[in-house]
Amino acid sequence: MACAGDSTKICGGSYRLSVYRSGAVTAPLATYNIVDTYIGPSFLTGFTHQAIPDPTNGRVNYTDQAFALAENLTFVSSDTIVMRADDTTVLSPSGPGRNSVRIQSIKQYSISLTIVSVRHMPQGCATWPAFWMTSSTVPWPDAGEIDIIEGVNDESPNTSTLHTVAGCTMSNSSVIQTGTLETTDCNWQDNGNAGCGTRPNKANSYGPGLNSVGGGWYITEKSISNGINVWFWARNDPSVPASVANGASTVKISDLGEPYANFPYNNCNYNSYFGPEAIIINLTLCGDWAGNVYPSTCPKTCVDHVNQDPADFANAYWDIASVRVYE
C-alpha cells in the first residue's frame, strides 16, 4: 500500500506466513532455510499494532493492540489470527473513521523468501486491504515498497506492485513470468504513484474469489540474482508444492516454477532501490485509491457507505494461518 512521506507513515480467516532469508545481499540462494514463523499468538509478540493516522486518507481509525483485542478487532488462537474492521457502529460524519487494524513486523528482512497462508481476506465495497513490505527505519520509499496482496472494492485479480525512488523501471522484454505486467515505471513520483505492477491470470487470487476457495498461499522472493518474484497457489490447487503447503523448514526455488510476477534488477539495482523491510498487514476504507475509484455498483458514496452501513463490513477481515520467513 503506497504512501508518500517518511517511514512513520505505514501504508499498505486463518492463514500461515513464512519468511526465509539469507542475511547477506551478495550471493544468490537456490534453497532458503526458515528463520521466523508467525502463527497465532506469535503475531502479538512479533508484530506491533500501528495506532497512527492513515497516511492514505482512509475512513478508518487504526487502533492499538489492547483496544483491538478488547473489541475483538484482533483475535488469535493456536493457529489463527483474525484482524477486522468494526461492523457494528454507525459513525458520525464529523467523528473518527471506522475502527480497523494495521500491524507491522518488529523484524525487517532483506534477502528472503516470505510465505503467507491466507484463509480469508477483507472483501466488500470501500475496502482496501494490503499485505506488503517496506522499511520501518528509513524514509519511504528509500528502501522500496513491495505490495504483495493489494486491491480495492473487490476488483480481481490481485495486483503485486513495486514503489521506488526515481530510476527503477520494468519492461515486457525483460520479465519472465506467467502474469501480466500492467505498469512499468516504479517511481512513486510518476503516474500518481501507480508503481510497476503485475497481475496473475487467476480470478481467485483476490477478494471474494480467493475467499470462495478457502484462500491460498502467496510466496515472495527478494533475491540479488533473481530479482523480486511472487507466486500464488489457491487453497484447492493440487499443484501447490508440498514444502509450501506443509510449512517445510527449507524451500527450493526450483520447486516453485515460474512466478506470476518477476521484477528483475536490469534497470533497478537491489542495493540502490531496496533494503531491509518489515511486513505490514492492514485494512483501510475508501482513501486515496478505493475512494477515488469507488464503483457506481456500490451503495451511496464511499464515505457515506462506511459511516452508515456497519453490517456491510462483516466480511472485511483477514484470517491468516501463518507467515513464514526463510533466508
Side-chain angles (χ1 to χ4, degrees):
M1 174 179 293
C3 63
D6 60 25
S7 61
T8 64
K9 294 186 176 180
I10 306 163
C11 311
S14 287
Y15 128 55
R16 187 168 185 172
L17 167 65
S18 303
V19 180
Y20 298 77
R21 93 182 216 196
S22 71
V25 292
T26 56
L29 291 177
T31 300
Y32 289 88
N33 300 302
I34 196 159
V35 295
D36 287 309
T37 299
Y38 302 100
I39 299 175
S42 60
F43 278 99
L44 300 182
T45 55
F47 284 70
T48 58
H49 282 62
Q50 303 293 304
I52 61 171
D54 180 18
T56 62
N57 302 303
R59 186 69 177 129
V60 293
N61 176 52
Y62 287 129
T63 63
D64 62 27
Q65 185 179 102
F67 184 92
L69 290 170
E71 297 297 317
N72 207 35
L73 302 177
T74 298
F75 166 81
V76 297
S77 67
S78 61
D79 63 354
T80 296
I81 182 170
V82 173
M83 297 168 289
R84 66 184 319 126
D86 168 82
D87 63 353
T88 61
T89 308
V90 174
L91 304 180
S92 167
S94 60
R98 187 161 300 283
N99 287 333
S100 188
V101 173
R102 173 173 175 156
I103 64 172
Q104 175 182 273
S105 65
I106 294 171
K107 290 183 65 174
Q108 297 194 98
Y109 301 95
S110 187
I111 304 307
S112 59
L113 190 78
T114 299
I115 303 178
V116 58
S117 172
V118 179
R119 296 190 184 113
H120 186 282
M121 69 174 295
Q123 69 178 69
C125 290
T127 57
W128 179 0
F131 181 95
W132 54 293
M133 301 179 74
T134 198
S135 175
S136 58
T137 54
V138 303
W140 180 91
D142 288 358
E145 174 180 325
I146 307 170
D147 297 322
I148 300 163
I149 308 172
E150 186 178 27
V152 297
N153 300 313
D154 288 347
E155 181 183 346
S156 186
N158 180 57
T159 304
S160 295
T161 307
L162 306 186
H163 301 271
T164 68
V165 296
C168 179
T169 61
M170 300 294 152
S171 70
N172 280 305
S173 62
S174 62
V175 299
I176 302 174
Q177 61 186 28
T178 62
T180 301
L181 179 65
E182 299 205 332
T183 51
T184 59
D185 187 351
C186 309
N187 182 5
W188 75 275
Q189 295 176 304
D190 293 340
N191 305 315
N193 191 22
C196 47
T198 293
R199 287 185 151 190
N201 300 315
K202 296 181 179 180
N204 62 4
S205 61
Y206 183 83
L210 179 70
N211 297 337
S212 70
V213 295
W217 296 268
Y218 273 92
I219 300 92
T220 304
E221 180 189 28
K222 295 171 64 182
S223 162
I224 287 295
S225 61
N226 300 328
I228 294 170
N229 300 286
V230 186
W231 294 261
F232 167 73
W233 282 273
R235 187 76 57 190
N236 62 352
D237 189 337
S239 70
V240 60
S243 58
V244 173
N246 298 329
S249 59
T250 62
V251 173
K252 295 181 179 180
I253 292 298
S254 59
D255 292 340
L256 302 183
E258 193 167 297
Y260 77 77
N262 168 231
F263 302 103
Y265 297 136
N266 301 14
N267 300 310
C268 202
N269 178 270
Y270 179 91
N271 290 318
S272 298
Y273 293 98
F274 295 94
E277 295 173 315
I279 299 164
I280 301 168
I281 312 169
N282 70 281
L283 167 62
T284 190
L285 305 171
C286 298
D288 297 338
W289 186 11
N292 287 337
V293 296
Y294 190 70
S296 60
T297 52
C298 286
K300 305 174 182 176
T301 67
C302 191
V303 170
D304 284 346
H305 177 52
V306 172
N307 288 347
Q308 300 169 12
D309 304 323
D312 286 356
F313 295 92
N315 286 314
Y317 67 90
W318 287 101
D319 179 357
I320 298 177
S322 63
V323 172
R324 290 188 169 86
V325 182
Y326 302 74
E327 295 180 340

